[in-house]
Amino acid sequence: MSNARRLTVLGAAAALAGSLVAVPAAAQSAPPQPGGAPHSGPAAPAAAPAKTPVAIGSGGAVSSVDADASAAGIAVLKKGGNAVDAAVATAAALGVTEPYSAGVGGGGYFVYYDARSRTVRTLDGRETAPRSAGKDLFLENGKPIPFDDAVTSGLSVGTPGTPATWDTALRKWGSRSLGQVLRPAQDLAEHGFAVDETFRRQTADNEARFRDFPATAAIFLPGGKLPAVGSKLKNPDLARTYGELARKGIGALYRGKLGQDIVRTVQRPPVRPGATRQVRPGDLTAKDLRAYRVRGEAPTHTTYRGLDVYGMGPSSSGGTSVAEALNILSKSDISRLSEKQYLHRYIEASRIAFADRGRWVGDPAYEKVPTKGLTSQRFADSRACLIKDDAALTSPLAPGDPRYPQRCDTGGQAAPTTYEGENTTHLTVADKWGNVVAYTLTIEQTGGSGIVVPGRGFLLNNELTDFSFAPANPAVHDPNLPGPGKRPRSSISPTIVLRDGRPVVALGSPGGATIITTVLQTLVNHLDRGMPLVDAIAAPRASQRNAAATELEPALWNSPLRGQLEAIGQVFKENPEIGAATGVQRLPDGRWLAAAEKVRRGGGSAMVVHRS
């Protein structure tokens, strides 16, 4: 960690220490949680450890892509906060240091394990389309508009769900106020963070469109230039936004002036004079903001090797797809297979799960999603028989029918998988009471819509481009077309695994549709192949999403395994980097292990609390 970065972390921790001394009356009167210990006086913060992909401690754990964000969560845990408090603090800090992946202008999915009741609960904080949106949202003259044009527009912006998710999680399960847990992120935005190689590269990738929006360029192209690695990037506008949310609550966004600023920006995108880019306006309104609600949905559930695997249900396809693929693989003794056999069966299970997701999963408020069927062993068995050890399936593969499973059914109409942006961020948290959070949040594409709300310091999402612009196959019902107030389908897959009601491992990843395959492969690496969690995360990845070619990271692309699999019909293309997972694991002695990436996205940051 650079000196500038270390000072920023220490400043955030110090700010939090001060904020936890005077507890608002509302927080004092809240019923105690498993993490609701009495507050202690301020203490001098310890120096933050260097960025590391694995750490073990007894007092809780935080794993994210960023050291400042992980430190914010650890500071909360050290001051008696629980896993939910720490997760929101970490997420808010990621809104500062990972603003191209997440923030106030986005949404996400929150999966929570409650140690007291030994139950898993979830929050769907996905963005929603305006109430005026129809199936033709992205059509002009009956044809889909160019994808990149849709991304950088007001059309792509859904009602943000992240602030409502934070508030809902804290009210339901937290022990601290929103204002308290936002304080480290507010301080981080005010005083700045050290720019790293990943941040500079992502800025460079977005430079052309950022320059077309003065409010965006003012923050992310300081002085009109790309930020230098090692320089400090400040965002005082975002600090003031966090301060406003802390003082006024989320009503400032969903019913107040902050929301008015968002609506104005979407309806009249603030493009610089002389820009040649066509930036289409959106139709988000104040009524859309006022109508927004976080959904408390039941998690998906399946059993695997005697474990209970819980994930995120629709509107995300993550939980159903991971569960279906695990169920397909459960009939194979993965631990005894060769690397070639294992990868082949994993690829085919992924292919099948994506074929079924494309036909059946959408927003359950608008679509009849057969979640129980998709996650049933009976349906998985009817699909697993398609897999042959000496031949690869061909994509696009036709879906099965989870309502009426038929053995090896191939009679349906096939449709290719539609595109989904790949930049998101995931954090995983555990506390000393045994509570666990797996939380994935996003603004969709790297840099979202590219549009910063003037004076507010955060980018707006482009989540509505996760809808299908038109049916991939007109002969097949597409459950993911736009609609009024509808949530676009997601692949976000925060996952918590229990044994006898107690946590074993929790994890998740960014990466668009590759999230599903990243979580699946990491689980199989860890649970079946016996890899330590940090190595299961670091292992080279393959991603098959019912596409003509399976994507391979370089270590597999350059491996003899590629030729062996090609010999039985697998087709591949190279992808330099797939996903960026984080996770926590409960060790047999009761301690927590936090794990993150060793290399991807510049490496992750695993931190723990050591109880004295």
Side-chain angles (χ1 to χ4, degrees):
M1 182 183 296
S2 69
N3 290 334
R5 195 76 153 183
R6 186 183 300 276
L7 290 172
T8 303
V9 172
L10 291 175
L16 177 72
S19 75
L20 292 182
V21 177
V23 183
Q28 290 176 333
S29 63
Q33 297 288 313
H39 297 294
S40 59
K51 193 172 184 180
T52 178
V54 64
I56 298 173
S58 58
V62 179
S63 186
S64 81
V65 74
D66 180 76
D68 283 321
S70 294
I74 288 292
V76 169
L77 294 178
K78 285 183 175 179
K79 299 304 297 182
N82 66 21
V84 173
D85 306 322
V88 175
T90 304
L94 287 168
V96 181
T97 61
E98 295 285 308
Y100 307 151
S101 301
V104 171
Y109 297 90
F110 193 104
V111 178
Y112 168 62
Y113 168 79
D114 183 276
R116 177 178 292 171
S117 63
R118 298 190 186 181
T119 57
V120 176
R121 304 168 187 177
T122 74
L123 296 176
D124 180 335
R126 184 65 155 163
E127 303 87 339
T128 55
R131 295 188 300 172
S132 62
K135 292 182 179 180
D136 61 350
L137 179 64
F138 293 110
L139 302 182
E140 289 182 358
N141 300 317
K143 296 182 179 180
I145 65 176
F147 186 81
D148 288 345
D149 289 1
V151 168
T152 309
S153 76
L155 277 179
S156 70
V157 180
T159 301
T162 290
T165 302
W166 294 348
D167 183 70
T168 303
L170 290 170
R171 286 189 292 103
K172 283 179 173 286
W173 311 307
S175 66
R176 300 293 187 261
S177 71
L178 180 63
Q180 286 175 291
V181 298
L182 287 181
R183 184 62 184 273
Q186 183 180 351
D187 187 73
L188 193 58
E190 181 69 34
H191 297 288
F193 65 94
V195 171
D196 61 15
E197 292 280 0
T198 299
F199 188 90
R200 179 182 166 86
R201 183 178 67 253
Q202 290 177 340
T203 308
D205 291 344
N206 284 282
E207 182 178 5
R209 66 185 188 131
F210 282 5
R211 289 194 183 279
D212 283 343
F213 300 99
T216 307
I219 298 171
F220 301 121
L221 298 170
K225 299 178 180 179
L226 290 172
V229 174
S231 65
K232 182 175 286 189
L233 190 77
K234 299 180 180 181
N235 193 340
D237 287 347
L238 181 56
R240 286 189 289 271
T241 295
Y242 279 154
E244 186 170 345
L245 290 171
R247 294 189 310 274
K248 299 180 180 179
I250 62 169
L253 190 151
Y254 295 101
R255 295 180 298 278
K257 290 184 177 179
L258 176 54
Q260 293 172 11
D261 290 346
I262 291 173
V263 168
R264 185 182 308 111
T265 303
V266 171
Q267 294 183 355
R268 297 191 295 276
V271 184
R272 69 173 172 84
T276 59
R277 184 185 303 274
Q278 180 183 5
V279 182
R280 293 166 173 82
D283 194 32
L284 190 72
T285 68
K287 289 184 179 180
D288 293 316
L289 296 183
R290 288 197 299 270
Y292 185 82
R293 298 291 184 273
V294 171
R295 291 182 189 162
E297 303 283 7
T300 59
H301 172 250
T302 194
T303 57
Y304 186 71
R305 316 295 191 204
L307 304 172
D308 291 290
V309 181
Y310 292 91
M312 193 68 223
S315 57
S316 180
S317 63
T320 57
S321 300
V322 169
E324 181 181 351
L326 286 174
N327 287 338
I328 289 171
L329 292 171
S330 68
K331 298 302 183 181
S332 302
D333 188 349
I334 302 295
S335 65
R336 293 181 177 272
L337 296 180
S338 68
E339 194 76 6
K340 171 195 166 184
Q341 292 171 319
Y342 148 62
L343 282 171
H344 174 65
R345 293 190 193 180
Y346 154 72
I347 287 168
E348 299 297 71
S350 299
R351 188 193 312 270
I352 293 168
F354 268 88
D356 297 328
R357 147 202 137 116
R359 168 60 183 85
W360 297 106
V361 182
D363 184 342
Y366 295 78
E367 303 286 339
K368 292 183 179 179
V369 183
T371 300
K372 288 186 178 179
L374 287 167
T375 58
S376 71
Q377 190 64 52
R378 180 187 174 203
F379 179 58
D381 291 346
S382 77
R383 302 291 278 158
C385 61
L386 294 171
I387 300 175
K388 309 299 181 186
D389 282 338
D390 58 353
L393 294 166
T394 301
S395 290
L397 181 71
D401 190 336
R403 302 167 304 175
Y404 312 104
Q406 300 293 322
R407 180 173 173 79
C408 301
D409 181 19
T410 57
Q413 289 281 339
T417 299
T418 54
Y419 177 77
E420 187 176 331
E422 294 192 0
N423 208 48
T424 305
T425 194
H426 178 82
L427 61 98
T428 321
V429 181
D431 63 32
K432 63 184 178 182
W433 297 278
N435 304 302
V436 180
V437 172
Y439 180 25
T440 313
L441 58 162
T442 179
I443 59 172
E444 216 279 330
Q445 189 122 327
T446 306
S449 65
I451 306 171
V452 162
V453 180
R456 297 299 190 170
F458 60 87
L459 285 154
L460 291 172
N461 69 82
N462 66 292
E463 292 296 350
L464 301 189
T465 59
D466 275 353
F467 283 122
S468 304
F469 286 20
N473 181 342
V476 180
H477 173 71
D478 189 332
N480 191 42
L481 293 172
K486 191 175 182 180
R487 285 161 155 83
R489 181 174 61 210
S490 173
S491 296
I492 286 175
S493 309
T495 302
I496 296 178
V497 180
L498 308 180
R499 177 185 286 112
D500 299 326
R502 297 183 182 277
V504 173
V505 66
L507 58 92
S509 176
T514 69
I515 293 172
I516 291 168
T517 58
T518 294
V519 169
L520 174 64
Q521 191 171 6
T522 304
L523 284 172
V524 174
N525 283 342
H526 181 57
L527 300 176
D528 287 303
R529 309 292 285 180
M531 294 184 186
L533 183 58
V534 68
D535 295 333
I537 288 171
R541 294 183 183 134
S543 182
Q544 168 53 241
R545 306 187 298 280
N546 199 24
T550 298
E551 295 176 8
L552 295 182
E553 288 189 323
L556 286 174
W557 177 261
N558 297 319
S559 163
L561 285 167
R562 174 162 68 98
Q564 296 169 19
L565 290 165
E566 287 173 337
I568 59 173
Q570 295 287 0
V571 178
F572 299 108
K573 66 179 181 179
E574 190 173 12
N575 184 334
E577 186 175 276
I578 299 173
T582 75
V584 298
Q585 177 188 0
R586 189 73 156 181
L587 298 176
D589 62 5
R591 292 182 299 165
W592 288 108
L593 179 147
E597 296 286 355
K598 295 180 179 180
V599 176
R600 296 182 186 94
R601 291 200 186 184
S605 176
M607 295 185 182
V608 294
V609 177
H610 297 282
R611 283 193 286 186
S612 58

